[in-house]
Amino acid sequence: MRQLQQLVENSYEASYYKMLDKIEQQDAQEEWIDKRADELMGNFSNENDWQILALLKLKLENHSVDAKIYHQFIIDICYSQAQFEFKQHSLNY
């Protein structure tokens, strides 16, 4: 009976360490994606944004684009790109 109890304890311990490892990997992935998305968002904080806004206005059939919507668009596209780059990077290793 003692051996069975020891096997169960070892199994729980192994599962616990696997879970911790997975959490650490997810945290590293999220950190990498956040950092890369921030870098990409920095590319949009200049005077050339008017070209993007003009195209969005045309495509959205609107005369103006709300600043909040534009900001969310930039965040979404940068995070999507960062996630794509992370997946590509992961496939190469």
Side-chain angles (χ1 to χ4, degrees):
M1 186 68 161
R2 177 79 177 121
Q3 277 185 319
L4 178 60
Q5 183 178 359
Q6 187 64 41
L7 286 172
V8 170
E9 287 175 6
N10 289 346
S11 176
Y12 283 139
E13 186 175 353
S15 295
Y16 174 75
Y17 284 118
K18 283 181 184 178
M19 180 186 70
L20 284 180
D21 187 47
K22 188 172 183 173
I23 290 170
E24 288 174 357
Q25 288 176 358
Q26 280 182 305
D27 288 347
Q29 175 183 344
E30 290 173 6
E31 183 179 335
W32 191 96
I33 290 171
D34 286 344
K35 182 180 175 187
R36 181 63 180 138
D38 286 343
E39 290 172 0
L40 293 171
M41 283 187 276
N43 295 335
F44 287 92
S45 58
N46 61 41
E47 63 278 350
N48 292 330
D49 286 3
W50 68 268
Q51 295 168 328
I52 298 167
L53 282 168
L55 183 60
L56 285 173
K57 288 177 192 176
L58 178 68
K59 296 296 182 181
L60 295 174
E61 300 174 353
N62 199 342
H63 297 289
S64 66
V65 175
D66 183 72
K68 289 180 184 177
I69 292 172
Y70 177 71
H71 183 68
Q72 188 62 51
F73 168 76
I74 297 301
I75 290 171
D76 291 346
I77 200 164
C78 290
Y79 268 90
S80 293
Q81 179 64 27
Q83 290 169 343
F84 173 78
E85 289 178 15
F86 183 84
K87 288 177 186 174
Q88 292 298 312
H89 178 75
S90 296
L91 290 176
N92 293 331
Y93 290 97

Coordinates of all heavy atoms in Angstrom, one line a residue:
M1 N 0.8 -1.2 0.0 CA 0.0 0.0 0.0 C 0.9 1.3 0.0 O 0.5 2.2 -0.6 CB -0.9 -0.1 1.2 CG -1.9 1.0 1.3 SD -3.1 0.8 -0.1 CE -4.4 1.8 0.5
R2 N 2.0 1.2 0.7 CA 2.9 2.3 0.7 C 3.4 2.7 -0.6 O 3.6 3.8 -1.0 CB 4.0 2.1 1.7 CG 5.1 3.1 1.8 CD 4.6 4.3 2.7 NE 5.6 5.2 2.9 CZ 5.5 6.5 2.5 NH1 4.4 7.0 2.0 NH2 6.5 7.3 2.7
Q3 N 3.7 1.6 -1.4 CA 4.2 1.8 -2.8 C 3.2 2.5 -3.7 O 3.5 3.4 -4.4 CB 4.6 0.5 -3.4 CG 6.0 0.0 -3.1 CD 6.4 -1.2 -3.8 OE1 5.5 -2.1 -4.0 NE2 7.6 -1.3 -4.3
L4 N 2.0 2.1 -3.5 CA 0.9 2.7 -4.3 C 0.8 4.2 -4.0 O 0.6 5.1 -4.9 CB -0.4 2.0 -4.1 CG -1.7 2.6 -4.8 CD1 -1.4 2.5 -6.3 CD2 -2.9 1.8 -4.4
Q5 N 0.8 4.5 -2.7 CA 0.7 5.9 -2.2 C 1.9 6.7 -2.8 O 1.7 7.8 -3.3 CB 0.7 6.0 -0.7 CG 0.5 7.4 -0.2 CD 0.4 7.4 1.3 OE1 0.5 6.4 2.0 NE2 0.3 8.6 1.8
Q6 N 3.1 6.1 -2.8 CA 4.2 6.8 -3.3 C 4.1 7.1 -4.8 O 4.4 8.1 -5.3 CB 5.5 6.0 -3.0 CG 6.8 6.7 -3.4 CD 7.0 8.0 -2.6 OE1 6.8 8.0 -1.4 NE2 7.4 9.1 -3.2
L7 N 3.6 6.1 -5.6 CA 3.4 6.2 -7.0 C 2.4 7.4 -7.3 O 2.6 8.2 -8.2 CB 2.9 4.9 -7.6 CG 3.9 3.8 -7.8 CD1 3.2 2.5 -8.2 CD2 5.0 4.2 -8.8
V8 N 1.3 7.4 -6.5 CA 0.3 8.5 -6.7 C 0.9 9.8 -6.4 O 0.7 10.8 -7.2 CB -0.9 8.2 -5.8 CG1 -1.9 9.4 -5.8 CG2 -1.7 7.0 -6.3
E9 N 1.7 9.9 -5.3 CA 2.3 11.2 -5.0 C 3.3 11.6 -6.1 O 3.3 12.8 -6.5 CB 3.0 11.1 -3.7 CG 2.1 11.0 -2.5 CD 2.9 10.8 -1.1 OE1 4.1 10.8 -1.2 OE2 2.2 10.6 -0.1
N10 N 4.0 10.7 -6.6 CA 5.0 11.0 -7.7 C 4.3 11.5 -9.0 O 4.7 12.4 -9.7 CB 5.9 9.8 -8.0 CG 6.9 9.5 -6.9 OD1 7.1 10.4 -6.1 ND2 7.5 8.3 -6.9
S11 N 3.1 10.8 -9.2 CA 2.3 11.2 -10.4 C 1.8 12.6 -10.3 O 1.8 13.4 -11.2 CB 1.2 10.2 -10.6 OG 0.4 10.6 -11.6
Y12 N 1.3 13.0 -9.1 CA 0.8 14.3 -8.8 C 1.9 15.3 -8.9 O 1.7 16.4 -9.5 CB 0.2 14.4 -7.4 CG -1.2 13.8 -7.3 CD1 -1.6 13.1 -6.2 CD2 -2.2 14.0 -8.3 CE1 -2.9 12.5 -6.1 CE2 -3.4 13.5 -8.2 CZ -3.8 12.7 -7.1 OH -5.0 12.2 -7.0
E13 N 3.1 15.0 -8.4 CA 4.2 15.9 -8.5 C 4.7 16.1 -9.9 O 4.9 17.3 -10.3 CB 5.4 15.3 -7.7 CG 6.6 16.3 -7.5 CD 7.7 15.8 -6.6 OE1 7.5 14.7 -6.0 OE2 8.7 16.4 -6.6
A14 N 4.7 15.1 -10.7 CA 5.1 15.2 -12.1 C 4.1 16.1 -12.9 O 4.5 16.9 -13.7 CB 5.2 13.8 -12.7
S15 N 2.8 15.8 -12.6 CA 1.8 16.6 -13.3 C 1.9 18.1 -12.9 O 1.7 19.0 -13.7 CB 0.4 16.1 -12.9 OG 0.2 14.8 -13.4
Y16 N 2.2 18.3 -11.6 CA 2.3 19.7 -11.1 C 3.5 20.4 -11.8 O 3.3 21.6 -12.3 CB 2.5 19.7 -9.6 CG 2.8 21.0 -9.0 CD1 1.8 22.0 -8.8 CD2 4.1 21.4 -8.6 CE1 2.1 23.2 -8.3 CE2 4.4 22.6 -8.1 CZ 3.4 23.5 -7.9 OH 3.7 24.8 -7.4
Y17 N 4.6 19.8 -12.0 CA 5.7 20.4 -12.6 C 5.5 20.6 -14.1 O 5.9 21.6 -14.7 CB 7.0 19.6 -12.4 CG 7.6 19.7 -11.0 CD1 7.7 18.7 -10.1 CD2 8.0 21.0 -10.6 CE1 8.2 18.9 -8.8 CE2 8.5 21.2 -9.3 CZ 8.5 20.1 -8.4 OH 9.0 20.3 -7.1
K18 N 4.8 19.7 -14.8 CA 4.4 19.9 -16.2 C 3.5 21.1 -16.3 O 3.6 21.9 -17.2 CB 3.7 18.6 -16.7 CG 4.6 17.5 -17.0 CD 3.8 16.3 -17.6 CE 4.7 15.1 -17.8 NZ 3.9 14.0 -18.3
M19 N 2.6 21.2 -15.4 CA 1.7 22.4 -15.4 C 2.4 23.7 -15.2 O 2.2 24.6 -16.0 CB 0.6 22.3 -14.3 CG -0.4 23.4 -14.3 SD -1.5 23.3 -12.9 CE -0.4 23.7 -11.5
L20 N 3.4 23.7 -14.3 CA 4.2 24.9 -14.1 C 5.0 25.2 -15.3 O 5.1 26.4 -15.7 CB 5.1 24.7 -12.9 CG 4.5 24.8 -11.5 CD1 5.6 24.6 -10.4 CD2 3.9 26.1 -11.3
D21 N 5.6 24.2 -16.0 CA 6.4 24.4 -17.2 C 5.5 25.0 -18.3 O 5.9 26.0 -19.0 CB 7.0 23.1 -17.6 CG 7.9 23.3 -18.8 OD1 8.8 24.2 -18.7 OD2 7.8 22.5 -19.8
K22 N 4.3 24.5 -18.4 CA 3.4 25.0 -19.4 C 3.0 26.5 -19.2 O 3.0 27.3 -20.1 CB 2.1 24.1 -19.5 CG 1.2 24.5 -20.7 CD 0.1 23.5 -20.8 CE -0.7 23.8 -22.0 NZ -1.7 22.8 -22.3
I23 N 2.8 26.8 -17.9 CA 2.4 28.2 -17.5 C 3.6 29.1 -17.8 O 3.4 30.2 -18.4 CB 2.0 28.2 -16.0 CG1 0.7 27.6 -15.8 CG2 2.0 29.7 -15.6 CD1 0.3 27.4 -14.4
E24 N 4.8 28.7 -17.5 CA 6.0 29.5 -17.8 C 6.2 29.7 -19.3 O 6.5 30.8 -19.7 CB 7.2 28.8 -17.2 CG 7.3 28.9 -15.7 CD 8.5 28.1 -15.1 OE1 9.2 27.5 -15.9 OE2 8.7 28.2 -13.9
Q25 N 5.9 28.7 -20.1 CA 6.0 28.8 -21.6 C 4.9 29.8 -22.1 O 5.2 30.6 -22.9 CB 5.8 27.5 -22.2 CG 7.0 26.5 -22.1 CD 6.7 25.2 -22.7 OE1 5.7 24.9 -23.2 NE2 7.7 24.3 -22.6
Q26 N 3.7 29.7 -21.6 CA 2.6 30.6 -22.0 C 3.0 32.1 -21.6 O 2.8 33.0 -22.4 CB 1.3 30.2 -21.3 CG 0.6 29.1 -22.0 CD -0.7 28.8 -21.4 OE1 -0.8 28.6 -20.2 NE2 -1.8 28.8 -22.2
D27 N 3.5 32.2 -20.4 CA 3.9 33.6 -19.9 C 5.0 34.2 -20.8 O 5.0 35.3 -21.2 CB 4.4 33.6 -18.5 CG 3.3 33.3 -17.5 OD1 2.1 33.5 -17.8 OD2 3.6 33.1 -16.3
A28 N 6.0 33.3 -21.2 CA 7.1 33.8 -22.1 C 6.5 34.1 -23.5 O 6.9 35.1 -24.1 CB 8.1 32.7 -22.2
Q29 N 5.6 33.3 -24.0 CA 4.9 33.6 -25.3 C 4.2 34.9 -25.2 O 4.3 35.8 -26.1 CB 4.0 32.5 -25.6 CG 3.2 32.8 -26.9 CD 2.2 31.7 -27.2 OE1 2.2 30.6 -26.7 NE2 1.2 32.0 -28.1
E30 N 3.4 35.1 -24.2 CA 2.6 36.4 -24.0 C 3.5 37.6 -23.9 O 3.2 38.6 -24.5 CB 1.7 36.3 -22.8 CG 0.5 35.3 -23.1 CD -0.3 35.1 -21.8 OE1 -0.1 35.8 -20.8 OE2 -1.2 34.2 -21.9
E31 N 4.6 37.4 -23.2 CA 5.6 38.5 -23.0 C 6.2 38.9 -24.4 O 6.3 40.1 -24.7 CB 6.6 38.1 -22.0 CG 7.6 39.2 -21.7 CD 8.7 38.8 -20.7 OE1 8.4 37.9 -19.9 OE2 9.8 39.4 -20.7
W32 N 6.6 37.9 -25.1 CA 7.2 38.1 -26.5 C 6.2 38.8 -27.4 O 6.5 39.8 -28.1 CB 7.6 36.8 -27.1 CG 8.5 36.9 -28.3 CD1 9.8 36.9 -28.3 CD2 8.0 37.1 -29.7 NE1 10.3 37.1 -29.6 CE2 9.2 37.2 -30.5 CE3 6.8 37.2 -30.3 CZ2 9.1 37.4 -31.8 CZ3 6.7 37.4 -31.6 CH2 7.9 37.5 -32.4
I33 N 4.9 38.3 -27.4 CA 3.9 38.9 -28.3 C 3.6 40.4 -27.8 O 3.5 41.3 -28.7 CB 2.6 38.1 -28.3 CG1 2.9 36.7 -29.0 CG2 1.5 38.8 -28.9 CD1 1.8 35.7 -28.9
D34 N 3.5 40.6 -26.5 CA 3.3 42.0 -26.0 C 4.4 42.9 -26.5 O 4.1 44.0 -26.9 CB 3.1 42.0 -24.5 CG 1.8 41.4 -24.0 OD1 0.9 41.3 -24.8 OD2 1.7 41.1 -22.8
K35 N 5.6 42.5 -26.3 CA 6.8 43.3 -26.6 C 6.8 43.6 -28.1 O 7.0 44.7 -28.5 CB 8.1 42.6 -26.2 CG 9.3 43.4 -26.5 CD 10.6 42.7 -26.0 CE 11.8 43.5 -26.4 NZ 13.0 42.7 -26.2
R36 N 6.6 42.6 -28.9 CA 6.6 42.8 -30.4 C 5.4 43.7 -30.9 O 5.6 44.5 -31.7 CB 6.5 41.4 -31.1 CG 6.6 41.5 -32.6 CD 7.9 42.1 -33.1 NE 7.9 42.2 -34.5 CZ 8.3 43.3 -35.2 NH1 8.9 44.3 -34.6 NH2 8.3 43.3 -36.5
A37 N 4.2 43.5 -30.3 CA 3.1 44.3 -30.6 C 3.4 45.8 -30.3 O 3.0 46.7 -31.0 CB 1.8 43.8 -29.9
D38 N 4.0 46.0 -29.1 CA 4.3 47.4 -28.7 C 5.3 48.0 -29.7 O 5.2 49.2 -30.1 CB 4.9 47.4 -27.3 CG 3.9 47.2 -26.2 OD1 2.7 47.4 -26.5 OD2 4.3 46.9 -25.1
E39 N 6.3 47.2 -30.2 CA 7.2 47.7 -31.2 C 6.5 48.1 -32.5 O 6.8 49.1 -33.1 CB 8.3 46.6 -31.5 CG 9.3 46.4 -30.4 CD 10.2 45.2 -30.7 OE1 10.0 44.5 -31.8 OE2 11.0 44.8 -29.9
L40 N 5.6 47.2 -32.9 CA 4.8 47.5 -34.1 C 3.9 48.7 -34.0 O 3.8 49.5 -34.9 CB 4.0 46.3 -34.5 CG 4.8 45.0 -34.9 CD1 3.9 43.8 -35.1 CD2 5.5 45.3 -36.2
M41 N 3.3 48.9 -32.8 CA 2.4 50.0 -32.6 C 3.2 51.3 -32.6 O 2.7 52.3 -33.0 CB 1.7 49.9 -31.3 CG 0.5 48.9 -31.4 SD -0.5 48.9 -29.9 CE 0.4 47.7 -28.9
G42 N 4.5 51.3 -32.2 CA 5.3 52.5 -32.3 C 5.5 53.0 -33.7 O 5.7 54.1 -34.0
N43 N 5.3 52.1 -34.7 CA 5.4 52.5 -36.1 C 4.3 53.3 -36.6 O 4.3 53.9 -37.6 CB 5.6 51.2 -37.0 CG 6.8 50.5 -36.8 OD1 7.8 51.0 -36.3 ND2 6.8 49.2 -37.1
F44 N 3.2 53.3 -35.8 CA 2.0 54.0 -36.2 C 1.8 55.4 -35.6 O 0.9 56.1 -35.8 CB 0.7 53.1 -35.9 CG 0.6 52.0 -36.9 CD1 1.1 50.8 -36.5 CD2 -0.1 52.1 -38.1 CE1 1.0 49.7 -37.4 CE2 -0.2 51.1 -38.9 CZ 0.3 49.8 -38.6
S45 N 2.7 55.7 -34.7 CA 2.6 57.0 -34.0 C 3.4 58.1 -34.7 O 4.3 58.7 -34.1 CB 3.0 56.8 -32.6 OG 4.4 56.4 -32.5
N46 N 3.1 58.3 -36.0 CA 3.8 59.4 -36.7 C 2.8 60.0 -37.7 O 1.6 59.7 -37.8 CB 5.0 58.9 -37.4 CG 4.7 57.8 -38.5 OD1 3.7 57.9 -39.2 ND2 5.5 56.8 -38.5
E47 N 3.3 61.0 -38.4 CA 2.5 61.8 -39.3 C 2.0 61.0 -40.5 O 1.1 61.5 -41.3 CB 3.2 63.1 -39.7 CG 4.4 62.9 -40.5 CD 5.7 62.6 -39.7 OE1 5.6 62.7 -38.4 OE2 6.7 62.2 -40.3
N48 N 2.4 59.8 -40.8 CA 2.0 59.1 -42.0 C 0.7 58.4 -41.8 O 0.2 57.7 -42.7 CB 3.1 58.1 -42.4 CG 4.3 58.8 -42.9 OD1 4.3 59.9 -43.5 ND2 5.5 58.2 -42.7
D49 N 0.1 58.4 -40.6 CA -1.1 57.7 -40.3 C -2.3 58.3 -41.2 O -3.3 57.6 -41.4 CB -1.5 57.8 -38.9 CG -0.7 57.0 -38.0 OD1 0.3 56.3 -38.5 OD2 -0.9 56.9 -36.8
W50 N -2.2 59.5 -41.7 CA -3.3 60.0 -42.5 C -3.6 59.2 -43.7 O -4.7 59.1 -44.2 CB -3.0 61.5 -42.9 CG -1.9 61.6 -43.9 CD1 -0.5 61.8 -43.7 CD2 -2.0 61.5 -45.4 NE1 0.2 61.8 -44.8 CE2 -0.7 61.7 -45.9 CE3 -3.0 61.3 -46.2 CZ2 -0.4 61.6 -47.2 CZ3 -2.7 61.3 -47.6 CH2 -1.4 61.5 -48.1
Q51 N -2.6 58.5 -44.3 CA -2.8 57.6 -45.4 C -3.6 56.4 -45.1 O -4.5 56.0 -45.8 CB -1.4 57.2 -46.0 CG -0.6 58.3 -46.5 CD 0.9 57.9 -46.8 OE1 1.4 57.0 -46.1 NE2 1.5 58.5 -47.8
I52 N -3.4 55.9 -43.9 CA -4.2 54.7 -43.5 C -5.6 55.2 -43.2 O -6.6 54.5 -43.6 CB -3.6 54.1 -42.2 CG1 -2.2 53.6 -42.5 CG2 -4.4 53.0 -41.6 CD1 -1.3 53.2 -41.3
L53 N -5.7 56.3 -42.5 CA -7.1 56.9 -42.2 C -7.9 57.1 -43.5 O -9.1 56.9 -43.6 CB -7.0 58.2 -41.4 CG -6.7 57.9 -39.9 CD1 -6.3 59.3 -39.2 CD2 -7.9 57.3 -39.2
A54 N -7.2 57.7 -44.5 CA -7.9 58.0 -45.8 C -8.4 56.7 -46.4 O -9.5 56.6 -46.9 CB -6.9 58.7 -46.7
L55 N -7.6 55.7 -46.4 CA -8.0 54.4 -46.9 C -9.2 53.8 -46.1 O -10.1 53.2 -46.7 CB -6.8 53.4 -47.0 CG -7.1 52.1 -47.6 CD1 -7.5 52.2 -49.1 CD2 -5.9 51.2 -47.6
L56 N -9.1 53.9 -44.8 CA -10.2 53.3 -44.0 C -11.5 54.1 -44.3 O -12.5 53.5 -44.3 CB -9.8 53.4 -42.5 CG -8.8 52.4 -42.0 CD1 -8.4 52.7 -40.6 CD2 -9.3 51.0 -42.1
K57 N -11.4 55.4 -44.4 CA -12.6 56.2 -44.7 C -13.2 55.7 -46.0 O -14.4 55.6 -46.1 CB -12.2 57.7 -44.7 CG -11.9 58.3 -43.4 CD -11.5 59.7 -43.6 CE -10.9 60.3 -42.3 NZ -10.4 61.7 -42.5
L58 N -12.4 55.5 -47.0 CA -12.8 55.1 -48.3 C -13.5 53.7 -48.2 O -14.6 53.5 -48.7 CB -11.7 55.0 -49.3 CG -12.0 54.6 -50.7 CD1 -12.9 55.6 -51.4 CD2 -10.7 54.3 -51.4
K59 N -12.8 52.8 -47.5 CA -13.4 51.4 -47.4 C -14.6 51.3 -46.5 O -15.5 50.5 -46.8 CB -12.3 50.5 -46.9 CG -11.1 50.3 -47.9 CD -11.5 49.7 -49.2 CE -10.3 49.6 -50.1 NZ -10.7 49.0 -51.4
L60 N -14.7 52.2 -45.5 CA -15.8 52.2 -44.6 C -16.9 53.1 -45.1 O -17.9 53.2 -44.4 CB -15.4 52.6 -43.2 CG -14.4 51.6 -42.5 CD1 -13.9 52.2 -41.2 CD2 -15.0 50.2 -42.3
E61 N -16.8 53.7 -46.2 CA -17.8 54.6 -46.8 C -18.2 55.6 -45.8 O -19.4 55.9 -45.6 CB -19.0 53.8 -47.3 CG -18.6 52.8 -48.4 CD -19.8 51.9 -48.8 OE1 -20.9 52.0 -48.1 OE2 -19.6 51.1 -49.7
N62 N -17.2 56.3 -45.2 CA -17.4 57.2 -44.1 C -16.6 58.4 -44.4 O -15.5 58.4 -45.0 CB -17.1 56.6 -42.8 CG -17.8 57.3 -41.6 OD1 -18.2 58.4 -41.7 ND2 -17.8 56.6 -40.5
H63 N -17.0 59.5 -43.8 CA -16.2 60.8 -44.0 C -15.2 61.0 -42.8 O -14.3 61.7 -42.9 CB -17.1 62.0 -44.1 CG -18.0 61.9 -45.3 ND1 -17.5 62.1 -46.5 CD2 -19.3 61.7 -45.4 CE1 -18.5 62.0 -47.4 NE2 -19.6 61.7 -46.7
S64 N -15.4 60.2 -41.8 CA -14.5 60.3 -40.7 C -14.4 58.9 -40.0 O -15.3 58.1 -40.0 CB -14.9 61.4 -39.7 OG -16.1 61.0 -39.0
V65 N -13.3 58.7 -39.3 CA -13.1 57.5 -38.5 C -12.9 57.9 -37.1 O -12.0 58.7 -36.8 CB -11.9 56.6 -39.1 CG1 -11.7 55.4 -38.2 CG2 -12.2 56.2 -40.5
D66 N -13.7 57.3 -36.2 CA -13.6 57.6 -34.8 C -12.2 57.2 -34.3 O -11.6 56.2 -34.6 CB -14.6 56.8 -34.0 CG -14.6 57.2 -32.5 OD1 -15.0 58.3 -32.2 OD2 -14.2 56.3 -31.7
A67 N -11.6 58.1 -33.5 CA -10.2 57.9 -33.0 C -10.1 56.6 -32.2 O -9.1 55.9 -32.2 CB -9.8 59.1 -32.1
K68 N -11.2 56.3 -31.4 CA -11.1 55.0 -30.6 C -11.1 53.8 -31.5 O -10.5 52.8 -31.2 CB -12.3 55.0 -29.6 CG -12.3 56.0 -28.5 CD -13.5 55.8 -27.6 CE -13.4 56.9 -26.5 NZ -14.6 56.9 -25.7
I69 N -11.9 53.9 -32.6 CA -12.0 52.7 -33.5 C -10.6 52.6 -34.2 O -10.1 51.5 -34.3 CB -13.1 53.0 -34.5 CG1 -14.5 52.9 -33.9 CG2 -13.0 51.9 -35.7 CD1 -15.6 53.3 -34.8
Y70 N -10.1 53.7 -34.6 CA -8.7 53.6 -35.3 C -7.7 53.0 -34.3 O -6.9 52.2 -34.7 CB -8.3 55.0 -35.8 CG -7.0 55.0 -36.4 CD1 -6.7 54.4 -37.6 CD2 -5.9 55.6 -35.7 CE1 -5.5 54.4 -38.2 CE2 -4.6 55.6 -36.3 CZ -4.4 55.0 -37.6 OH -3.2 54.9 -38.1
H71 N -7.7 53.5 -33.1 CA -6.7 53.0 -32.1 C -6.9 51.5 -31.9 O -5.9 50.8 -31.8 CB -6.9 53.8 -30.8 CG -5.9 53.4 -29.8 ND1 -4.5 53.7 -29.9 CD2 -6.0 52.8 -28.6 CE1 -3.9 53.2 -28.8 NE2 -4.8 52.6 -28.0
Q72 N -8.1 51.1 -31.8 CA -8.4 49.6 -31.6 C -8.0 48.8 -32.8 O -7.4 47.7 -32.7 CB -9.9 49.4 -31.3 CG -10.2 47.9 -30.9 CD -9.4 47.5 -29.6 OE1 -9.5 48.2 -28.6 NE2 -8.7 46.4 -29.6
F73 N -8.2 49.4 -34.0 CA -7.7 48.8 -35.2 C -6.2 48.6 -35.2 O -5.7 47.5 -35.6 CB -8.1 49.7 -36.4 CG -7.5 49.3 -37.7 CD1 -7.9 48.2 -38.4 CD2 -6.4 50.0 -38.2 CE1 -7.3 47.8 -39.6 CE2 -5.9 49.7 -39.4 CZ -6.3 48.6 -40.2
I74 N -5.5 49.6 -34.8 CA -4.0 49.5 -34.7 C -3.6 48.4 -33.7 O -2.7 47.6 -34.0 CB -3.4 50.9 -34.4 CG1 -3.7 51.9 -35.5 CG2 -1.9 50.7 -34.1 CD1 -3.2 51.5 -36.8
I75 N -4.2 48.4 -32.6 CA -3.9 47.4 -31.6 C -4.2 46.0 -32.1 O -3.3 45.1 -32.0 CB -4.7 47.7 -30.3 CG1 -4.2 48.9 -29.6 CG2 -4.6 46.5 -29.3 CD1 -5.1 49.4 -28.4
D76 N -5.3 45.8 -32.7 CA -5.7 44.5 -33.2 C -4.7 44.0 -34.3 O -4.3 42.8 -34.2 CB -7.1 44.5 -33.7 CG -8.2 44.7 -32.6 OD1 -7.8 44.5 -31.4 OD2 -9.3 45.0 -33.0
I77 N -4.4 44.9 -35.2 CA -3.6 44.4 -36.3 C -2.1 44.2 -35.8 O -1.5 43.2 -36.3 CB -3.6 45.4 -37.5 CG1 -3.1 44.7 -38.8 CG2 -2.8 46.7 -37.2 CD1 -3.5 45.4 -40.0
C78 N -1.7 45.0 -34.9 CA -0.3 44.8 -34.4 C -0.2 43.5 -33.6 O 0.8 42.7 -33.7 CB 0.2 46.0 -33.5 SG 0.5 47.4 -34.6
Y79 N -1.2 43.2 -32.7 CA -1.2 41.9 -32.0 C -1.4 40.7 -32.9 O -0.7 39.7 -32.7 CB -2.3 42.0 -30.9 CG -1.8 42.5 -29.6 CD1 -1.8 43.8 -29.3 CD2 -1.1 41.6 -28.7 CE1 -1.3 44.3 -28.1 CE2 -0.6 42.1 -27.5 CZ -0.7 43.4 -27.2 OH -0.2 43.9 -26.0
S80 N -2.2 40.9 -33.9 CA -2.3 39.7 -34.9 C -1.0 39.5 -35.6 O -0.6 38.3 -35.7 CB -3.4 40.1 -35.9 OG -4.7 40.1 -35.3
Q81 N -0.3 40.5 -36.0 CA 1.0 40.3 -36.6 C 2.0 39.7 -35.7 O 2.7 38.8 -36.0 CB 1.5 41.7 -37.2 CG 2.8 41.6 -37.8 CD 2.8 40.7 -39.1 OE1 1.8 40.6 -39.8 NE2 4.0 40.2 -39.4
A82 N 2.0 40.2 -34.4 CA 2.9 39.7 -33.4 C 2.7 38.2 -33.2 O 3.6 37.4 -33.1 CB 2.9 40.5 -32.2
Q83 N 1.4 37.8 -33.1 CA 1.1 36.4 -32.9 C 1.5 35.6 -34.1 O 2.0 34.4 -33.9 CB -0.4 36.2 -32.6 CG -0.9 36.8 -31.3 CD -2.4 36.9 -31.2 OE1 -3.1 36.8 -32.1 NE2 -2.8 37.0 -29.9
F84 N 1.3 36.1 -35.3 CA 1.7 35.4 -36.5 C 3.2 35.2 -36.5 O 3.7 34.1 -36.8 CB 1.3 36.2 -37.7 CG 1.8 35.6 -39.0 CD1 1.2 34.5 -39.6 CD2 2.9 36.2 -39.7 CE1 1.7 34.0 -40.8 CE2 3.4 35.7 -40.8 CZ 2.8 34.6 -41.4
E85 N 4.0 36.3 -36.2 CA 5.4 36.2 -36.2 C 5.9 35.2 -35.1 O 6.9 34.4 -35.3 CB 6.0 37.5 -35.9 CG 5.9 38.5 -37.0 CD 6.4 39.9 -36.7 OE1 7.2 40.1 -35.7 OE2 6.1 40.8 -37.5
F86 N 5.2 35.1 -34.0 CA 5.6 34.2 -32.9 C 5.4 32.7 -33.4 O 6.3 31.9 -33.2 CB 4.8 34.4 -31.6 CG 5.2 33.5 -30.5 CD1 6.3 33.8 -29.7 CD2 4.6 32.3 -30.3 CE1 6.7 32.9 -28.7 CE2 5.0 31.4 -29.3 CZ 6.0 31.7 -28.5
K87 N 4.3 32.5 -34.1 CA 4.0 31.1 -34.6 C 5.1 30.8 -35.7 O 5.6 29.6 -35.7 CB 2.6 31.1 -35.2 CG 1.5 31.1 -34.1 CD 0.2 31.0 -34.8 CE -0.9 31.2 -33.7 NZ -2.2 31.3 -34.2
Q88 N 5.4 31.7 -36.5 CA 6.4 31.4 -37.6 C 7.8 31.2 -36.9 O 8.5 30.3 -37.3 CB 6.5 32.6 -38.5 CG 5.3 32.8 -39.4 CD 5.0 31.6 -40.3 OE1 5.9 31.1 -40.9 NE2 3.8 31.2 -40.3
H89 N 8.1 32.0 -35.9 CA 9.4 31.8 -35.2 C 9.4 30.4 -34.5 O 10.4 29.7 -34.5 CB 9.5 32.9 -34.2 CG 10.7 32.8 -33.3 ND1 12.0 33.1 -33.8 CD2 10.9 32.5 -32.0 CE1 12.9 33.0 -32.8 NE2 12.2 32.6 -31.7
S90 N 8.3 30.0 -33.9 CA 8.2 28.7 -33.2 C 8.3 27.6 -34.2 O 8.9 26.5 -33.8 CB 6.9 28.6 -32.5 OG 6.8 29.6 -31.5
L91 N 7.8 27.7 -35.4 CA 7.9 26.6 -36.4 C 9.3 26.4 -36.8 O 9.7 25.3 -37.2 CB 7.0 26.9 -37.6 CG 5.5 26.9 -37.3 CD1 4.7 27.3 -38.6 CD2 5.0 25.5 -36.9
N92 N 10.1 27.5 -36.8 CA 11.5 27.4 -37.3 C 12.4 26.7 -36.2 O 13.6 26.5 -36.5 CB 12.0 28.7 -37.7 CG 11.3 29.2 -38.9 OD1 10.8 28.5 -39.7 ND2 11.2 30.6 -39.0
Y93 N 11.9 26.5 -35.0 CA 12.7 26.0 -33.9 C 12.2 24.7 -33.4 O 11.2 24.2 -33.5 CB 12.9 27.0 -32.8 CG 13.8 28.1 -33.2 CD1 13.3 29.3 -33.6 CD2 15.2 28.0 -33.1 CE1 14.1 30.4 -33.9 CE2 16.0 29.0 -33.5 CZ 15.4 30.2 -33.9 OH 16.3 31.3 -34.2

